[in-house]
């Protein structure tokens, strides 16, 4: 039996440890965080994050071999394996501001570990997404004190996506573990691999060197985001040429060399990681003297911002170039369906632009209103958060669909149309709704990358 500790009880730390606890009942798993409110919610049935299937897994293991608390120092004392899953946001000050990774939370944990560990051999696992060669910095901090503990630093990046975290953790495409190339490093990587081998087939556990592991995580996110920006750029061309982006995506995705996933045009990708990780990758390239490579990856973020702006411009233009006093209802605020997470959601810049035009913004989301309120609290203007979707749409001039929640397809659009100001507009930022049907009801429909369906 080992004492496994995870520092950071967020979107990654909580679900990952719950799945390890479920599958490794002989180990004791403790998750700590400096945020008392988060920990209180992990200890209740009102979890701090919404993730389908998560509550059931937590309930199975909590109090048996899964524990949540805030005493980082005490929990570190007798830990054998420490996963570090703290946030690694983009640095907003000093050198590299707006691009580089802000590693202050990361370094603080390294120092906490050094001060408190008492076991003779401890494995420190990088779970957070980090710039290449961070493990080296961590190792140097851990070797700098008088501690008698021998530390091994292993990289084990997480590939779960929000909304499908439990499924992704239960049947991952791969588990990546990067270890040092000496005897101790290999042994540490193997110990982490053994944990996952409780439920993940061995052929899906990939062992590499630490630097490949760290870099692969950034590149995986950059390449996923790059596909979306590629498709979004082509959606603009489709709108000029009467081609249909859904047909183009299907046609190119059937080429097995390209594959069909991550080819859906959208208002722009969001989430806490894509933008941040591409900027970190781009900054790393600059740092290592590769400006052309840095620009190449930065353009993925530029196209993403442009796509959200294009969506806004279309609303402004179609509503006769004035939004002042008009009610625009947002269907969805989360950065994707099945999560309450709004970090870097395209809904945020969209609201800012709409409020800048003096529109009245009505926001609906089944799970993200709590976060939406926080995101928009400093924005000036007429914005309301509405729990009842029909109330949000009552008296609206236009609907902007931001998040592809399944329930939005089931709405009674006849009823909605009757309560909206005419001409009524729908801007579908996800190509999620039934456009022909909406057109027949009377809506002017503006999909992405497809010809619009207009009555006026
Ligand atoms: P998060 O902000 O939800 O959680 C991080 C937690 O760490 C917070 O609760 C914070 O209070 C805590 N923390 C910070 N400093 C601490 C300290 N010194 N001691 C104890 N706790 C501390 O972040 P997240 O979304 O879980 O992401 C964590 C890391 O995982 C990031 O590097 C991210 O890039 C990566 N990642 C995230 C996802 C995702 O879907 N969210 C997926 C894969 C990888
Ligand atoms: C993403 C990756 O998919 C995970 O593998 C990774 O672990 C994670 O980032 C991370 O490092 O944080 P996540 O951001 O949770 O996961 O969600 P995704 O499903 O990747 O969606 C990201 C954004 O892209 C969403 O806004 C989504 O709506 C958008 N998207 C996705 C599109 O616009 N089009 C698509 O075809 C797919």
């Amino acid at each position: 039996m080992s004492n496994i500790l995870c520092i950071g009880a967020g979107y990654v730390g909580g679900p990952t440890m719950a799945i390890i606890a479920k599958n490794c009942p002989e180990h004791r798993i403790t998750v700590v965080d400096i945020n008392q409110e988060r920990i209180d919610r992990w200890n209740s049935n009102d979890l701090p994050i919404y993730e389908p299937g998560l509550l059931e897994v937590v309930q199975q293991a909590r109090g048996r071999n899964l524990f949540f608390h805030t005493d980082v120092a005490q929990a570190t004392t007798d830990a054998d394996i420490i996963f570090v899953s703290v946030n690694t946001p983009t640095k907003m000050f000093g050198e590299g501001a707006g691009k580089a990774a802000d590693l202050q939370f990361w370094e603080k944990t390294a120092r906490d570990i050094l001060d408190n560990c008492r076991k003779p051999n401890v494995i420190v696992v990088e779970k957070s997404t980090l710039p290449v060669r961070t493990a080296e910095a961590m190792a140097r901090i851990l070797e700098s004190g008088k501690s008698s503990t021998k530390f091994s630093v292993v990289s084990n990046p997480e590939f779960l996506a929000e909304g499908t975290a439990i499924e992704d953790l239960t049947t991952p495409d791969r588990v990546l573990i990067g270890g040092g190339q000496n005897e101790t490093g290999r042994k540490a990587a193997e110990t982490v691999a053994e944990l996952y081998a409780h439920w993940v087939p061995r052929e899906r556990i990939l062992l590499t060197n630490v630097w490949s592991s760290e870099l692969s995580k950034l590149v995986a996110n950059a390449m996923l985001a790059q596909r979306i920006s590629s498709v979004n750029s082509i959606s603009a061309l489709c709108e000029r040429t009467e081609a249909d982006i859904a047909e183009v995506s299907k046609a190119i995705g059937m080429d097995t060399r390209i594959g069909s996933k991550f080819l859906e045009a959208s208002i722009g990708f969001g989430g806490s990681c894509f933008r941040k990780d591409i900027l970190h990758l781009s900054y790393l390239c600059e740092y290592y003297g590769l400006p052309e490579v840095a620009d190449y990856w930065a353009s993925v973020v530029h196209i993403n911002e442009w796509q959200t702006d294009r969506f806004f411009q279309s609303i402004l233009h179609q509503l006769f170039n004035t939004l002042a006093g008009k009610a625009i209802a947002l269907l969805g605020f989360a950065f994707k369906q099945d999560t309450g997470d709004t970090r870097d959601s395209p809904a945020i810049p969209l609201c800012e632009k709409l409020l800048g035009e003096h529109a009245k913004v009505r926001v609906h989301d089944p799970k993200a209103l709590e976060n939406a309120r926080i995101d928009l609290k400093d924005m000036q203007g007429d914005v309301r958060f509405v729990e009842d979707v029909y109330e949000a749409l009552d008296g609206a001039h236009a609907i902007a669909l931001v998040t592809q929640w399944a329930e939005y397809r089931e709405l009674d659009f006849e009823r909605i149309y009757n309560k909206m100001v005419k001409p009524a507009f729908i801007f579908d930022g996800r190509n999620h709704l039934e456009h022909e049907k909406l057109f027949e009801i009377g809506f002017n429909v503006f999909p992405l990358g497809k010809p619009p369906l207009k009555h006026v």
Side-chain angles (χ1 to χ4, degrees), residues 173-192:
D173 286 349
R174 80 309 211 177
V175 168
L176 178 58
I177 303 171
Q181 295 304 289
N182 55 16
E183 174 77 24
T184 335
R186 273 192 288 273
K187 228 174 117 189
E190 184 49 35
T191 305
V192 178

Side-chain angles (χ1 to χ4, degrees), residues 228-229 231-233 235-236 239 265-271 275 299-317 323 330 333-335 344-354 400-402 427-430 448:
I228 304 168
S229 276
V231 161
N232 281 343
S233 72
S235 75
E239 286 166 28
S266 66
I267 175 176
F269 59 74
R275 179 187 156 78
S299 72
V300 172
V301 173
H302 293 153
I303 288 287
N304 197 52
E305 289 165 357
W306 175 77
Q307 180 77 347
T308 307
D309 187 59
R310 225 167 61 75
F311 185 75
F312 159 74
Q313 296 291 345
S314 165
I315 300 176
L316 176 61
H317 177 66
L323 297 176
L330 260 60
F333 198 93
F335 79 99
D344 246 324
S345 172
I348 301 170
L350 177 63
C351 282
E352 194 172 11
K353 289 168 198 277
L354 293 172
L401 186 134
V402 173
F427 298 86
D428 187 348
R430 299 283 182 178
L448 279 173

Side-chain angles (χ1 to χ4, degrees), residues 7-13 32-35 38 72 85-88 105 108-109 112 127-129 158-162 217 272-273 276-277 341 343:
I7 304 181
Y11 285 86
V12 168
V32 290
D33 202 293
I34 42 175
N35 182 332
R38 259 201 170 174
V72 181
S85 172
V86 298
N87 34 332
T88 50
F105 306 105
K108 164 90 174 59
T109 24
D112 282 346
K127 197 43 142 172
S128 303
T129 304
E158 184 47 61
F159 294 99
L160 68 81
E162 289 178 30
K217 172 62 198 177
S272 62
C273 294
K276 146 179 107 61
D277 291 349
D341 194 356
R343 291 179 292 177

Side-chain angles (χ1 to χ4, degrees), residues 97-386:
K99 284 183 181 175
D102 183 348
L103 296 175
Q104 59 175 308
F105 306 105
W106 176 255
E107 179 162 343
K108 164 90 174 59
T109 24
R111 293 187 188 280
D112 282 346
I113 293 170
L114 179 63
D115 290 346
N116 295 298
C117 267
R118 293 292 172 269
K119 287 281 181 95
N121 295 295
V122 171
I123 300 172
V124 178
V125 186
E126 292 183 339
K127 197 43 142 172
S128 303
T129 304
L130 293 157
V132 190
R133 301 205 78 88
T134 306
E136 188 179 33
M138 179 121 203
R140 281 176 57 202
I141 293 172
L142 295 174
E143 282 157 17
S144 67
K146 291 197 189 88
S147 171
S148 56
T149 301
K150 293 247 168 316
F151 293 100
S152 304
V153 182
V154 169
S155 160
N156 169 224
E158 184 47 61
F159 294 99
L160 68 81
E162 289 178 30
T164 52
I166 296 303
E167 206 181 309
D168 297 341
L169 287 164
T170 305
T171 50
D173 286 349
R174 80 309 211 177
V175 168
L176 178 58
I177 303 171
Q181 295 304 289
N182 55 16
E183 174 77 24
T184 335
R186 273 192 288 273
K187 228 174 117 189
E190 184 49 35
T191 305
V192 178
E194 271 166 26
L195 273 182
Y196 286 101
H198 280 70
W199 77 98
V200 180
R202 269 282 168 175
E203 62 277 14
R204 293 205 174 188
I205 303 178
L206 186 62
L207 297 172
T208 67
N209 79 33
V210 185
W211 325 122
S212 306
S213 171
E214 288 178 332
L215 184 57
S216 300
K217 172 62 198 177
L218 286 183
V219 175
N221 274 358
M223 291 198 68
L224 288 168
Q226 180 203 41
R227 285 170 71 93
I228 304 168
S229 276
S230 298
V231 161
N232 281 343
S233 72
I234 299 302
S235 75
L237 186 58
C238 287
E239 286 166 28
R240 301 273 163 99
T241 57
E242 290 182 31
D244 178 325
I245 193 65
E247 291 177 355
V248 173
S249 289
K250 186 167 180 192
I252 61 168
M254 284 174 77
D255 185 326
T256 50
R257 292 168 304 173
I258 296 175
S260 62
K261 293 182 181 162
F262 271 69
L263 290 180
E264 282 174 25
S266 66
I267 175 176
F269 59 74
S272 62
C273 294
F274 276 1
R275 179 187 156 78
K276 146 179 107 61
D277 291 349
I278 297 168
L279 291 174
H280 292 181
L281 179 64
S282 174
Y283 183 73
L284 268 180
C285 296
E286 248 173 56
Y287 177 84
Y288 283 106
L290 300 167
E292 290 81 1
V293 188
D295 290 348
Y296 174 73
W297 287 109
S299 72
V300 172
V301 173
H302 293 153
I303 288 287
N304 197 52
E305 289 165 357
W306 175 77
Q307 180 77 347
T308 307
D309 187 59
R310 225 167 61 75
F311 185 75
F312 159 74
Q313 296 291 345
S314 165
I315 300 176
L316 176 61
H317 177 66
Q318 296 303 333
L319 270 78
F320 318 107
N321 292 314
T322 173
L323 297 176
K326 293 180 180 170
I328 314 293
L330 260 60
L331 282 184
F333 198 93
F335 79 99
K336 63 185 282 198
Q337 74 280 25
D338 296 328
T339 178
D341 194 356
T342 60
R343 291 179 292 177
D344 246 324
S345 172
I348 301 170
L350 177 63
C351 282
E352 194 172 11
K353 289 168 198 277
L354 293 172
L355 291 169
E357 291 292 331
H358 296 185
K360 298 177 184 171
V361 175
R362 306 291 173 250
V363 180
H364 176 271
D365 191 288
K367 296 285 177 196
L369 285 190
E370 189 182 333
N371 284 328
R373 278 195 185 90
I374 299 169
D375 295 329
L376 301 188
K377 73 177 183 327
D378 294 328
M379 278 188 208
Q380 302 287 324
D382 183 345
V383 52
R384 268 179 43 208
F385 304 90
V386 192

Side-chain angles (χ1 to χ4, degrees), residues 390-410:
Y390 292 101
E391 194 191 321
L393 299 171
D394 197 353
H397 290 70
I399 297 173
L401 186 134
V402 173
T403 315
Q404 65 277 47
W405 286 99
E407 64 187 75
Y408 291 153
R409 284 175 66 88
E410 311 303 323

Side-chain angles (χ1 to χ4, degrees), residues 331 393 399-411 413 416 425-439 443 445-447 450 453:
L331 282 184
L393 299 171
I399 297 173
L401 186 134
V402 173
T403 315
Q404 65 277 47
W405 286 99
E407 64 187 75
Y408 291 153
R409 284 175 66 88
E410 311 303 323
L411 292 174
F413 279 101
I416 291 166
F425 295 85
I426 291 194
F427 298 86
D428 187 348
R430 299 283 182 178
N431 288 341
H432 182 57
L433 303 173
E434 293 176 78
H435 301 148
E436 290 286 347
K437 211 168 124 189
L438 294 169
F439 178 65
F443 286 102
V445 187
F446 293 84
K450 292 168 186 265
L453 302 169

